[in-house]
Amino acid sequence: MDLPVEEWKSYILEKWALLPKSVQVTISKAETLSDIFLHSSSLLQPEDEMFLKRLSRGYLVGKDPNAPLFYREEGNKKFQEKDYTGATVLYSKGVSHSRPNTEDTSLCYANRSAALFHLGQYETCLEDIVRAQMHGYPERLQPKMMLRKAECLVLLGRLQEASQTISDLESSFAAKPTLAASQFQILQRTLCRLKMKIQKKENLTETVSAALTKAFEDMDLREENKQISSASASVSLCTDPFKGRYLIATKDILPGELLVKEDAFVSVLNPAEVLPLHLGLESKWDTRVTNGDLYCHRCLKRSLAPVPCDGCSYAKYCSQECMQQAWDLYHNIECSLGALLLTLGVFCHVALRSTLLARFEDAGEVTRKLCGDISNKDTRLPESKNLVQTLSYDLGGESEKNGKTVETPIPGCDINGKYENNYYAVCNLLPHTENHSAEYKFLCALSISALCRQLEAASPQALMTGLTSSKLKAAMAPVLCPESSIWGVAMLRHMLQLQCNAQAITAIQQTGSKENIITDSRQVRLATGIFPVVSLLNHSCSPNTSMSFVSTVATVRASQHIGKGQEILHCYGPHESRMGVAERQQKLRSQYFFDCTCPACQHGKHRTTAEPRWEAFCCCSCRALIQGDEVLSCGNASCTESVSRDHLVSRLQDLQQQVGIARKLLRNGKLGDWQKSAAHLQKSLRVVEVRHGPSSVEMGHELFKLAQIFFNGFAVPEALNTIRKAEKVLLVHYGPGNDEIQELQKMKSCLLDLPPIPGGPSL
């Protein structure tokens, strides 16, 4: 949910419609963001704030003392059903509502450790056992949990620690024989079993996955760019009066080469699945599994055992370290505003967090950036070693000064021409104030104004929490004055920037049952972030790059050969393989305020038929586009192939039917049907190739599924051949750290280790 909830949007738009025409005109024609904010915020009335508060009460983000027992009991039901992942999530929800150092907290952690044990997450299980003890786990229940700890240590090969735990447990039994005879016998048998395991285990290695660490290592840039942080030396930053800033190749770039590796300046987890209470949930406690339960709210790493914020039930983190970092940077302010931020939407939340992060940059820079009129084209900063000009719409190039030509820097760059991932670069992203409708600007301004009223209730000291420098605190004090509108203007700028500059942070999630012979997947939006360097990339409906994410880090790779001097292009969403020209143009015009003139759009405008790109056909001889009405002819002048449209449409419909059959067989997951599944999927690959291209990421995912089918059917030559093809495509788009590539390599290793089949082909 990028924008505020529908009720608030409707309320504000109705308020706008009732304003006198003269007031509407004043706001519509305001030339600066300061004027827009000041005029709009003066119209926010107490009854408006009361209405917003009523909407916010629908989101349960506080800690409910009755919730831990409910979630623990629901988790126990899932545990009994052997749904250990579901149980883990419900226990985590119980932890989120528990106060620190209470029995509720310790019981939820202990139960979660049991579920994690059954999931094979032994290291995380041990961490939860420690947490349960820290929060006062009842002594009467300690023996059972300590046995679990010993078993984890054995399975991890930490035999000395396991032996010590067993020894401590035996000593505890001898000192306090409080268990019933039957329980004591069970524990004794378990201890004996563990001792035997320890004797048999000699060199068991730890099973903790290092996939994420490897992924980051594989993402390293070969040579860092001296002009642009987070970019490779293969690209350069340029500027143009018409298309603004853009990146070009400084040398020939091969497919798969890493061009940008950038951590988000700011990111906010997408709360789209969080529903307010009035939308008919069975109880006020939500038992559904959402991304907010599975991913860290700071770094976006997947975690089945999150650590909750001590002050609210919404924010969860992958570790104590992440929780503390988030608290120091922004959550100490956001914690009490959770329900309001969910009501006002992700864009408003990103705007607030961006401004909060600005507190930690150089005091002089931050003060000037926030105090200046940040939409006034003529605003300039005093002389500074770091900055030449403040937030300006100038696009760089040359200007006249005292009769002399003076080169002006590219916006976002420092005096040395360096473009970095910092707040100054964020401020220089265009808000497109003149393109947004007056109603939209009014909605954003009043939403920000309502948020500012809540911030004004906090003391300046709270906003300066975490600032260690006394000089910085002194410089920031006037900026953070409750009466100041500077924060509001800064946040309004960021909120208006986001429509064109927000980047959806995505992840590939596996779907379907683990029993299926193939692993299906889907791309999900995890968060919204701002990436100043990625924002330099211009759009093309047929881009030459591919973007993926690990945690909050975006990687941009060349998806095809890019010649020296060519522009580096990224797709903003409307891709030629998914939309027709008219639909793409409408989408880009309404969201990004430009008409696309990329080759795909130029070619599409001159077509005689109105079908979208994926209903076009390729010549079976030379692969060129074939066009026409009843009879289609090859567009290649040297090729004489032609075919009737009815024949091709009939073949396409047949292939689409085969795709449906293949997916049905794959969902059933029956090993006996693998040959049918493979045959149908091979036919469906033709559709994918025509629609998306032979080197597309979509083709890579389908090849991955086909490789799984061949692997599970022990069709060794076919599996190895398909694995090779899938690896080649996926490596271009994701690099070697991708989960699917890792799985392909495991399958290949397993197949190559098989003994040769007598009379069969050699591998």
Side-chain angles (χ1 to χ4, degrees):
M1 182 174 61
D2 292 332
L3 297 177
V5 296
E6 287 299 325
E7 295 93 331
W8 179 247
K9 283 195 289 186
S10 299
Y11 180 88
I12 295 302
L13 292 178
E14 183 179 348
K15 184 180 179 74
W16 169 264
L18 295 174
L19 290 176
K21 190 68 176 178
S22 59
V23 177
Q24 290 183 351
V25 170
T26 299
I27 295 173
S28 300
K29 293 187 175 181
E31 295 183 357
T32 68
L33 287 172
S34 293
D35 289 340
I36 294 170
F37 180 75
L38 291 173
H39 286 307
S40 300
S41 60
S42 67
L43 300 171
L44 184 67
Q45 301 300 315
E47 57 267 28
D48 303 331
E49 294 181 77
M50 289 302 298
F51 179 75
L52 184 59
K53 284 182 180 178
R54 284 199 299 272
L55 293 177
S56 301
R57 291 192 193 108
Y59 292 96
L60 182 62
V61 296
K63 291 187 182 291
D64 188 330
N66 298 315
L69 176 60
F70 168 80
Y71 282 121
R72 197 165 72 247
E73 289 176 345
E74 292 297 310
N76 291 343
K77 292 176 186 176
K78 293 287 186 183
F79 191 94
Q80 293 300 321
E81 297 168 2
K82 301 190 185 312
D83 179 4
Y84 300 117
T85 300
T88 300
V89 171
L90 290 167
Y91 293 141
S92 296
K93 288 178 182 285
V95 171
S96 296
H97 280 277
S98 303
R99 290 291 177 186
N101 303 314
T102 61
E103 186 170 302
D104 277 335
T105 306
S106 67
L107 290 172
C108 287
Y109 274 129
N111 287 13
R112 192 172 75 178
S113 75
L116 290 166
F117 178 83
H118 285 281
L119 290 170
Q121 303 287 320
Y122 304 124
E123 285 282 8
T124 313
C125 174
L126 289 173
E127 292 173 4
D128 265 6
I129 288 172
V130 172
R131 290 171 182 141
Q133 291 173 321
M134 285 174 55
H135 289 276
Y137 191 64
E139 189 173 346
R140 69 184 185 279
L141 302 174
Q142 287 280 353
K144 188 176 180 181
M145 191 169 69
M146 295 308 290
L147 282 173
R148 189 181 306 132
K149 176 181 178 181
E151 192 143 12
C152 281
L153 292 168
V154 170
L155 291 167
L156 289 170
R158 293 156 59 175
L159 306 184
Q160 188 173 354
E161 294 175 71
S163 297
Q164 184 61 52
T165 301
I166 291 172
S167 177
D168 293 343
L169 199 50
E170 288 176 326
S171 300
S172 177
F173 288 163
K176 297 179 181 179
T178 56
L179 294 174
S182 59
Q183 291 178 305
F184 186 73
Q185 288 176 355
I186 293 172
L187 289 171
Q188 275 193 320
R189 285 198 295 270
T190 305
L191 284 172
C192 289
R193 178 172 56 82
L194 285 173
K195 287 180 179 179
M196 290 176 64
K197 275 189 176 182
I198 291 174
Q199 291 172 359
K200 291 179 180 178
K201 300 269 185 183
E202 293 181 355
N203 295 308
L204 182 67
T205 58
E206 291 201 8
T207 59
V208 182
S209 171
L212 190 61
T213 303
K214 178 173 174 54
F216 276 110
E217 290 172 354
D218 291 331
M219 285 161 48
D220 286 340
L221 294 165
R222 292 180 182 176
E223 185 181 353
E224 188 109 10
N225 194 305
K226 295 180 180 179
Q227 182 194 16
I228 316 163
S229 70
S230 308
S232 82
S234 302
V235 303
S236 179
L237 176 59
C238 301
T239 186
D240 180 89
F242 299 102
K243 61 183 179 181
R245 301 171 297 183
Y246 62 99
L247 299 180
I248 63 166
T250 58
K251 66 178 187 62
D252 286 346
I253 296 172
L254 296 176
E257 184 174 333
L258 183 59
L259 304 179
V260 176
K261 174 191 171 185
E262 182 182 24
D263 199 355
F265 173 80
V266 62
S267 64
V268 171
L269 190 76
N270 181 23
E273 295 164 310
V274 177
L275 296 176
L277 298 179
H278 64 268
L279 290 186
L281 297 175
E282 292 182 4
S283 76
K284 66 177 179 177
W285 299 306
D286 192 358
T287 58
R288 297 168 309 133
V289 180
T290 68
N291 287 335
D293 299 312
L294 299 175
Y295 294 89
C296 177
H297 287 222
R298 192 196 75 83
C299 72
L300 302 182
K301 290 179 183 175
R302 189 178 175 89
S303 174
L304 275 177
V307 179
C309 169
D310 289 339
C312 69
S313 63
Y314 177 67
K316 306 176 185 73
Y317 306 95
C318 64
S319 64
Q320 191 73 28
E321 292 73 23
C322 254
M323 181 182 75
Q324 191 60 52
Q325 287 177 26
W327 181 263
D328 292 342
L329 290 171
Y330 47 77
H331 193 63
N332 59 334
I333 304 299
E334 295 178 358
C335 186
S336 62
L337 302 173
L340 178 62
L341 291 170
L342 287 171
T343 306
L344 292 178
V346 170
F347 280 6
C348 203
H349 197 164
V350 172
L352 170 63
R353 190 170 291 182
S354 299
T355 314
L356 290 172
L357 289 172
R359 299 176 299 165
F360 297 88
E361 293 195 8
D362 177 80
E365 288 187 29
V366 173
T367 303
R368 284 190 292 273
K369 290 169 195 170
L370 292 181
C371 286
D373 181 349
I374 59 178
S375 68
N376 189 335
K377 180 173 181 177
D378 296 322
T379 301
R380 292 290 184 272
L381 287 176
E383 288 297 321
S384 164
K385 292 182 179 179
N386 298 320
L387 299 175
V388 175
Q389 65 182 76
T390 190
L391 313 173
S392 166
Y393 286 172
D394 291 344
L395 293 173
E398 295 182 344
S399 62
E400 292 291 326
K401 184 176 181 181
N402 298 325
K404 296 181 179 180
T405 301
V406 179
E407 186 174 341
T408 57
I410 297 175
C413 294
D414 62 21
I415 195 170
N416 298 313
K418 180 75 181 269
Y419 187 91
E420 299 190 81
N421 179 323
N422 57 21
Y423 187 64
Y424 184 51
V426 171
C427 284
N428 275 278
L429 298 175
L430 295 181
H432 294 281
T433 312
E434 69 282 5
N435 296 118
H436 292 293
S437 69
E439 293 88 345
Y440 182 77
K441 288 183 281 192
F442 186 65
L443 170 65
C444 293
L446 252 64
S447 298
I448 292 294
S449 181
L451 180 56
C452 284
R453 298 276 176 95
Q454 293 296 313
L455 288 171
E456 286 172 4
S459 66
Q461 286 72 26
L463 290 173
M464 288 189 287
T465 299
L467 303 184
T468 55
S469 165
S470 58
K471 181 180 178 182
L472 182 54
K473 288 182 179 180
M476 290 298 290
V479 177
L480 302 176
C481 177
E483 291 78 26
S484 174
S485 63
I486 293 170
W487 275 64
V489 179
M491 285 191 281
L492 177 58
R493 179 181 180 85
H494 297 319
M495 193 167 181
L496 294 177
Q497 286 172 331
L498 287 166
Q499 180 168 313
C500 295
N501 293 286
Q503 177 63 54
I505 300 174
T506 60
I508 302 296
Q509 283 186 351
Q510 293 183 358
T511 59
S513 169
K514 291 182 179 179
E515 285 72 35
N516 287 357
I517 64 173
I518 66 136
T519 301
D520 208 349
S521 60
R522 65 189 178 105
Q523 188 179 64
V524 296
R525 177 180 171 183
L526 288 186
T528 298
I530 296 179
F531 296 82
V533 176
V534 170
S535 293
L536 296 172
L537 296 172
N538 279 333
H539 167 80
S540 171
C541 299
S542 180
N544 52 22
T545 62
S546 183
M547 186 182 299
S548 61
F549 299 88
V550 176
S551 185
T552 55
V553 177
T555 61
V556 178
R557 295 178 182 274
S559 60
Q560 61 190 53
H561 178 270
I562 304 174
K564 181 179 179 180
Q566 275 188 267
E567 186 174 357
I568 312 297
L569 297 165
H570 166 55
C571 180
Y572 290 0
H575 196 283
E576 67 164 338
S577 68
R578 292 185 287 270
M579 296 181 187
V581 177
E583 187 181 358
R584 296 200 307 269
Q585 291 287 357
Q586 189 278 327
K587 173 73 173 174
L588 292 167
R589 197 176 296 118
S590 62
Q591 182 173 349
Y592 297 99
F593 311 120
F594 70 86
D595 293 314
C596 184
T597 58
C598 74
C601 288
Q602 290 297 310
H603 174 75
K605 287 177 182 177
H606 294 94
R607 288 177 56 199
T608 58
T609 55
E611 298 90 3
R613 165 68 177 86
W614 56 86
E615 290 184 4
F617 297 99
C618 293
C619 175
C620 60
S621 298
C622 67
R623 311 302 294 171
L625 193 69
I626 54 177
Q627 298 177 336
D629 295 322
E630 297 301 321
V631 177
L632 287 81
S633 301
C634 182
N636 185 350
S638 61
C639 182
T640 59
E641 288 287 331
S642 63
V643 65
S644 74
R645 178 176 293 276
D646 289 342
H647 174 71
L648 290 177
V649 169
S650 176
R651 286 189 60 193
L652 177 60
Q653 290 172 344
D654 178 62
L655 285 171
Q656 289 172 333
Q657 186 178 10
Q658 300 284 0
V659 173
I661 295 171
R663 293 191 183 280
K664 184 177 180 180
L665 289 169
L666 295 175
R667 282 196 299 269
N668 292 338
K670 295 179 181 178
L671 195 59
D673 289 335
W674 75 266
Q675 289 175 316
K676 290 182 181 178
S677 298
H680 288 304
L681 192 57
Q682 283 174 307
K683 291 180 180 178
S684 77
L685 281 170
R686 300 175 197 169
V687 177
V688 175
E689 183 175 353
V690 170
R691 182 171 178 176
H692 299 286
S695 301
S696 64
V697 67
E698 291 84 1
M699 192 70 173
H701 291 313
E702 293 300 306
L703 284 168
F704 173 72
K705 294 175 188 176
L706 183 60
Q708 287 181 307
I709 294 172
F710 284 137
F711 177 83
N712 284 284
F714 295 100
V716 178
E718 293 89 345
L720 288 172
N721 185 46
T722 308
I723 287 170
R724 178 185 60 78
K725 291 179 181 178
E727 275 187 308
K728 183 179 179 181
V729 174
L730 292 174
L731 276 169
V732 168
H733 296 279
Y734 294 114
N738 175 258
D739 289 342
E740 289 187 349
I741 292 173
Q742 297 289 316
E743 183 65 25
L744 289 167
Q745 291 173 348
K746 289 177 185 177
M747 288 192 287
K748 181 167 64 176
S749 177
C750 180
L751 292 172
L752 292 174
D753 288 342
L754 289 173
I757 302 172
S762 61
L763 303 179

